[in-house]
Amino acid sequence: MKKFFLALALLMLLNLSAFAQEVTVEGIGRDRDEAIKNAERAAVEQVVGTFVDSQTLVENAMLKLDEIYMHAQGFVSGVKILSEGQSSNDLYKVTARMNVESEPNSALISQLETVMRLNDPRITVIMLKDNAATGTHDELAETSLNDKLLTLGFSHVVDADIVANLENARLLERIYNGEKGLVGVGSSYGADYLVLGKTHTNSQNVQLPDYKNGGYKTMAMLVANADITAKIIKLSTGEIVGTFSVTAKGNDVIKDNSERNAICNAVEIAALELEKKFKKLAMTVRTTSRFRL
């Protein structure tokens, strides 16, 4: 199984000055201009190297990284030449200090987000109904979350049946409760991460004050609450690497429809939470490698 993940740190950037990271680099070229251009590339490569482990990149992500380095000059500012002159073999050498943009919404970081998209993990989503028979899947939540993950750019969403057909409901319950029943078998499941969650719904009729007769008047409209609580499990180790809980409401005159609407609204929030968790998770992957292209 090819390595799948990318260490992309969009938050907690170190050594920033006005959202730019200052680095000192060397560049060598046939002339001064080429040497400076190569120094700018080296500066961008140095900063990107704190976010990206090249050993985890697939081919398409590497091609995108190549494109970033080709346009390195656009991500650099405040170039200060510290020393320069002829080097050996009639080459020109410069040593320069420069700022590489690192603002979360900057062009460079946005480009690195694209690299992450091209190098996304394979995810399986399993949602169990909390207020139903043990092991009952919430197919609406599973399908909706898969669709949302695809929309967000995670292209390797794996059908929940891959896990559901291999493991019984009790094992999934034990895994949800913290047991490591799937340790070391990630590759056999065709997924890198398992999003294992539970959904809970309840509904009640809307009641409005009855100013004429006193008390409250029960309306035909029902309001449902939906809760989704999930854990993100790294299948190769069984480690729980993230958790989240979301709540949403829905309404309709039919009970099942009101709860369905609430689940759909909760999924919208849950998908965004998953995106945040996987971005944050990227920071925990190896971030110290350096590489040269």
Side-chain angles (χ1 to χ4, degrees):
M1 182 184 74
K2 65 184 179 182
K3 293 185 178 180
F4 59 87
F5 212 62
L6 158 73
L8 174 60
L10 300 177
L11 303 173
M12 300 172 64
L13 300 175
L14 302 178
N15 302 319
L16 300 186
S17 177
F19 295 111
Q21 186 167 345
E22 186 179 78
V23 296
T24 300
V25 291
E26 293 181 349
I28 298 176
R30 290 168 295 183
D31 53 34
R32 186 176 189 271
D33 288 342
E34 186 176 273
I36 293 175
K37 182 177 180 180
N38 288 334
E40 292 169 337
R41 177 189 173 106
V44 172
E45 180 178 341
Q46 180 174 322
V47 171
V48 169
T50 65
F51 303 147
V52 177
D53 179 356
S54 65
Q55 295 183 9
T56 68
L57 297 184
V58 297
E59 182 178 357
N60 288 341
M62 289 294 287
L63 291 174
K64 183 62 181 179
L65 211 55
D66 263 332
E67 182 182 330
I68 290 174
Y69 291 142
M70 286 176 60
H71 299 89
Q73 187 176 15
F75 309 125
V76 171
S77 63
V79 177
K80 182 179 180 180
I81 304 299
L82 302 178
S83 65
E84 61 180 300
Q86 291 296 136
S87 180
S88 58
N89 300 322
D90 295 324
L91 296 175
Y92 201 88
K93 178 180 179 180
V94 300
T95 300
R97 183 185 299 125
M98 57 190 71
N99 295 320
V100 179
E101 63 178 42
S102 304
E103 183 180 2
N105 294 321
S106 66
L108 176 59
I109 299 301
S110 295
Q111 292 287 334
L112 290 181
E113 275 196 43
T114 302
V115 172
M116 184 187 71
R117 294 294 190 217
L118 293 171
N119 206 64
D120 56 336
R122 300 170 303 165
I123 306 168
T124 283
V125 176
I126 293 181
M127 291 285 129
L128 304 175
K129 289 186 177 181
D130 194 31
N131 50 343
T134 299
T136 302
H137 285 247
D138 191 324
E139 295 181 0
L140 173 62
E142 288 177 352
T143 301
S144 298
L145 267 178
N146 278 327
D147 289 344
K148 281 296 175 183
L149 286 170
L150 288 168
T151 300
L152 290 170
F154 293 102
S155 59
H156 300 291
V157 178
V158 182
D159 195 309
D161 287 342
I162 290 176
V163 173
N165 289 339
L166 292 174
E167 299 295 338
N168 59 45
R170 289 185 178 179
L171 177 57
L172 291 175
E173 286 285 343
R174 294 202 305 269
I175 294 169
Y176 182 84
N177 292 328
E179 294 187 30
K180 297 183 178 181
L182 292 178
V183 174
V185 295
S187 58
S188 68
Y189 286 85
D192 302 307
Y193 291 91
L194 169 63
V195 178
L196 180 57
K198 290 188 176 182
T199 65
H200 181 85
T201 57
N202 61 77
S203 58
Q204 58 185 8
N205 288 93
V206 175
Q207 291 188 322
L208 297 177
D210 188 342
Y211 297 106
K212 182 177 180 180
N213 300 312
Y216 290 87
K217 183 178 181 180
T218 300
M219 310 300 293
M221 180 67 67
L222 291 101
V223 174
N225 294 305
D227 302 311
I228 296 179
T229 303
K231 299 177 181 180
I232 303 171
I233 300 164
K234 187 175 182 180
L235 285 175
S236 62
T237 64
E239 178 187 6
I240 296 175
V241 296
T243 62
F244 67 88
S245 297
V246 301
T247 301
K249 295 181 181 295
N251 57 73
D252 198 277
V253 294
I254 300 174
K255 179 179 183 293
D256 287 347
N257 288 348
S258 67
E259 294 184 355
R260 180 185 180 89
N261 291 339
I263 284 289
C264 288
N265 292 335
V267 164
E268 293 274 350
I269 306 171
L272 296 177
E273 285 298 315
L274 274 179
E275 183 184 32
K276 293 177 185 177
K277 294 297 182 183
F278 278 110
K279 282 185 177 181
K280 184 175 181 180
L281 179 62
M283 293 192 296
T284 68
V285 185
R286 289 174 294 170
T287 59
T288 57
S289 295
R290 294 289 185 274
F291 54 95
R292 294 177 181 174
L293 301 177

